[in-house]
Amino acid sequence: MRVLVTGGAGFIGSHIVTALTKAGHEPVVLDALLPSAHGVTPEVPAVEFLHADVRDRLVVRAALHGVDAVCHQAAMVGLGKGFADAPEYVGSNDLGTAVLLAAMADVGVRRLVLAGSMVVYGEGRYECPAHGVVRPGARLPQDLAAGRFEPRCPACGAELAPGLVAEDAPVDPRNVYATTKLAQEHLAAAWARAVGGTAVSLRYHNVYGPGMPRDTPYAGVASLFRSALARGEAPRVFEDGGQRRDFVHVRDVAAANLVALEAADGLPAGGLDTYNTGSGEPHTVGDMAFALARACGGPEPVITGEYRLGDVRHVTADSSRLRGELGWRPVVGFAEGMTEFAGAGQRASAGLS
Ligand SMILES: NC(=O)c1ccc[n+]([C@@H]2O[C@H](COP(=O)([O-])OP(=O)(O)OC[C@H]3O[C@@H](n4cnc5c(N)ncnc54)[C@H](O)[C@@H]3O)[C@@H](O)[C@H]2O)c1
Ligand SMILES: [Zn+2]
């Protein structure tokens, strides 16, 4: 299968390229090598490569000829530096997706696998002892300031117990990036309906592993901790460290893309299928900081009690659909993955803070 991998020079994309090549497929990479992701001396992929933006209609159209499927990873990631970044996020992620899909419609490429994200869910799934499954609103600044980090029941104010989020959970994007990731899915669904295409969105949880970019306003928490440790500094853990996440290894995420691309031919055309892509083993951010610090030989993390208003408390996936329907199995365990990550290289990025 010849596969166009947009964003294939990035953290996850480059692992997908490796997985495709190993499986005997033919990846073609299209990537703009954004300075926010690559710094000033980007590494160019060792496969067929187009240095271009997904918004470039002519290049994208030409790149699609002879392609069997598209694996769309290109996106601006992270929270950015503030709301002023919104036009850049919407441009790269949503206009970019629209241009790509329009070209696919035109050229006749009918299989799409999209890098989705768990950020579309906002706060995860919660249960109140009295009211069952509820959707807590944003946490109140006065609760956070007083160190009351657990979301509360909107009906009775009781502290809630977190659960696993399934694909049919209501969406609730809480920042610009999350909004663009959800819009990408809506565009993909509209494209699939219009052209009879097959679209799969893999909603990745917190991806980590070798090649993860160093700390920037665009980086994930594992990367920030790893970078602090590399400087000999203690990782600074916000809130009380009890935030639950699902840390999934980048090679497992690449494998999920491979199974989705290979299965896409057999999936029903005309719609979008969404699959949570997590390890199925929730851990707290505090656990992760301690595991990394141990593997790096210290220093011990500091629990700071600081908070960011936009952060969600817990969000962990139920990834059983991806296992059951597409036969995917994550193979890198948490302890093993964090130990490898502690010793692995991180990619230099621009450090645009
Ligand atoms: N890393 C995670 O934990 C995580 C979680 C959920 C979803 N995702 C999604 O996975 C995908 C890959 O993320 P990543 O972590 O590898 O980030 P990354 O920044 O390492 O990779 C993204 C790549 O896309 C390229 N790119 C961005 N905008 C582009 C554009 N307009 N045209 C062409 N290329 C462009 C960048 O140059 C970069 O190489 C993204 O779609 C992201 O939203 C990542
Ligand atoms: Zn209640």
Side-chain angles (χ1 to χ4, degrees):
M1 189 171 27
R2 185 169 161 89
V3 182
L4 179 67
V5 186
T6 71
F11 165 47
I12 298 168
S14 54
H15 285 271
I16 294 173
V17 167
T18 304
L20 282 167
T21 309
K22 270 196 189 153
H25 299 298
E26 192 190 340
V28 185
V29 169
L30 185 147
D31 198 300
L33 301 176
L34 294 189
S36 56
H38 292 273
V40 282
T41 48
E43 243 180 72
V44 173
V47 296
E48 202 176 323
F49 173 59
L50 295 155
H51 183 188
D53 195 291
V54 275
R55 287 166 286 183
D56 186 331
R57 286 157 212 257
L58 291 179
V59 178
V60 170
R61 236 187 104 93
L64 286 170
H65 285 285
V67 155
D68 302 294
V70 172
C71 184
H72 183 33
Q73 306 294 314
M76 275 187 69
V77 302
L79 289 179
K81 288 172 288 180
F83 200 84
D85 285 348
E88 269 308 300
Y89 275 88
V90 173
S92 255
N93 301 2
D94 296 338
L95 177 58
T97 299
V99 168
L100 173 68
L101 293 170
M104 288 170 72
D106 236 20
V107 176
V109 181
R110 294 286 178 265
R111 274 191 263 168
L112 173 76
V113 174
L114 172 70
S117 174
M118 52 83 191
V119 291
V120 299
Y121 299 117
E123 273 292 351
R125 184 180 194 277
Y126 292 93
E127 256 175 77
C128 167
H131 296 97
V133 175
V134 291
R135 292 180 65 189
R139 293 177 293 169
L140 300 174
Q142 59 268 36
D143 276 345
L144 293 167
R148 287 189 298 267
F149 298 119
E150 294 299 335
R152 293 172 176 280
C153 173
C156 68
E159 275 199 9
L160 298 168
L164 297 180
V165 183
E167 288 83 356
D168 60 0
V171 289
D172 185 11
R174 298 220 170 158
N175 54 52
V176 171
Y177 168 67
T179 305
T180 66
K181 294 308 286 180
L182 183 58
Q184 287 188 314
E185 288 190 350
H186 289 158
L187 288 166
W191 165 84
R193 266 197 308 280
V195 304
T198 305
V200 168
S201 176
L202 297 173
R203 291 177 171 168
Y204 309 156
H205 279 242
N206 292 56
V207 188
Y208 75 98
M212 198 174 185
R214 286 198 200 117
D215 55 344
T216 71
Y218 309 92
V221 64
S223 167
L224 301 180
F225 291 171
R226 172 74 181 75
S227 303
L229 287 161
R231 292 191 300 267
E233 293 167 17
R236 295 176 61 78
V237 182
F238 286 179
E239 303 189 12
D240 56 1
Q243 309 89 306
R244 287 156 67 87
R245 293 291 185 274
D246 186 320
F247 297 98
V248 58
H249 195 274
V250 67
R251 283 196 298 276
D252 286 331
V253 171
N257 277 273
L258 187 63
V259 296
L261 284 161
E262 289 176 340
D265 223 6
L267 292 173
L272 170 81
D273 275 311
T274 55
Y275 294 95
N276 288 340
T277 308
S279 70
E281 233 193 285
H283 284 274
T284 66
V285 172
D287 278 352
M288 192 266 287
F290 277 94
L292 263 186
R294 256 195 313 276
C296 290
E300 283 237 322
V302 179
I303 311 285
T304 69
E306 290 164 274
Y307 57 88
R308 298 185 302 189
L309 275 183
D311 281 345
V312 295
R313 175 67 176 168
H314 307 290
V315 56
T316 51
D318 177 351
S319 302
S320 51
R321 182 161 188 230
L322 182 55
R323 292 162 188 247
E325 291 184 17
L326 300 187
W328 173 73
R329 294 279 175 283
V331 297
V332 185
F334 179 77
E336 175 200 345
M338 286 297 164
T339 305
E340 181 206 31
F341 181 47
Q346 282 185 274
R347 201 175 64 216
S349 34
L352 295 176
S353 50

